[in-house]
Amino acid sequence: MTGAATLRALHHGRAPGDPLVLPNPWDAATARVLASAGFPALATPSAGIAASLGYRDGEIPADEMFAAVARIARAVDVPVTADIEGGYGLAPAEIVDRLLEAGAVGCNLEDGDRAADALKDARRQADWLAEVRAAAGDRLVINARIDVFVRGEGARTDPTDTDRLVEEAIDRGRRYVAAGADCVYPIFAPPRLLHRLAAGIGAPLNAMAKPDGPSVRELGESGATRITFGPGLFRRALAAVEDIAEQLRPA
């Protein structure tokens, strides 16, 4: 099978407590460590790569992001999917070409508008994802990120208004799956809502694991098909370096 077919297949036929775990390397060295540990695929973190190259989240130039993804993909023999944020303003065909050139077999594409700190129009986002799918064919696994719980109206000011947020996330998820997304990622959705989201959308669901949150197994039992960690692994590694630096500092 191709790398994309292998990654796509890993999303299906999984037991509830056995989700696909995709750790998030930010460079070639961490990719090799994670692949050697036996993980069947890896997912690059946009925030982790940006920080490792000296940029704030969302401010890394497209060329540097694709170059980083290429270094990671070259370093390992397992499929690599790349978080490329909102696509950097590139046309769908160029997004596909650059991902494939970098060696990636999948991507995250978010529906949040970072500049406006708002959500993109769901219909236009679905149409855009359909163009990406048309350009990619079956060569990429598309993970459509849903930012309702980050940038949706009321998500921060009234987080208790969960029914409305869930309904909007389900509506967006269904649109994106109909447009060709293989998986949906309602980032920062509370774990207790994963079952409702998974049932309502009817497609593989990506959830983020946090150090202080439910375990990978618990997230799987709650409805998640796929688990990623965002910049969490990078931040833990950085914290370890800070501890080492403190020990090395002259008294």
Side-chain angles (χ1 to χ4, degrees), residues 34-103:
L34 295 168
S36 295
F39 291 98
L42 305 175
T44 70
S46 61
I49 288 178
S52 74
L53 296 176
Y55 294 97
R56 294 179 181 175
D57 186 22
E59 295 183 1
I60 182 172
D63 287 349
E64 294 208 39
M65 179 62 81
F66 284 111
V69 171
R71 290 191 291 272
I72 289 169
R74 283 197 305 268
V76 296
D77 293 326
V78 299
V80 172
T81 179
D83 183 349
I84 55 168
E85 303 175 319
Y88 307 112
L90 302 174
E94 186 174 0
I95 287 174
V96 171
D97 287 346
R98 297 197 68 171
L99 284 166
L100 295 176
E101 182 181 2

Side-chain angles (χ1 to χ4, degrees), residues 4 13 20 25 37 50 102 143 172 192 210 222:
L20 172 61
N143 187 31
R172 285 175 176 267
R192 61 189 173 80
K210 298 180 179 179
S222 295

Side-chain angles (χ1 to χ4, degrees), residues 11-12 107-111 129 141-147 149 168-189 194 196-208 223-228:
H11 289 73
H12 298 281
C107 62
N108 275 19
L109 291 167
E110 63 194 51
D111 66 0
L129 288 172
V141 175
I142 297 175
N143 187 31
R145 198 178 98 173
I146 301 169
D147 282 12
F149 296 94
E168 183 172 2
I170 289 174
D171 177 69
R172 285 175 176 267
R174 287 175 174 171
R175 290 178 187 273
Y176 302 162
V177 171
D182 297 280
C183 183
V184 294
Y185 182 16
I187 190 170
F188 297 148
L194 294 178
R196 288 176 61 186
L197 292 166
I201 295 171
L205 194 79
N206 190 148
M208 181 190 292
T225 309
R226 157 174 163 164
I227 308 296
T228 52

Side-chain angles (χ1 to χ4, degrees), residues 123-145:
R123 291 183 181 179
R124 286 199 292 271
Q125 180 71 0
D127 289 344
W128 182 74
L129 288 172
E131 292 182 45
V132 176
R133 171 54 69 204
D138 62 359
R139 296 175 295 173
L140 290 175
V141 175
I142 297 175
N143 187 31
R145 198 178 98 173

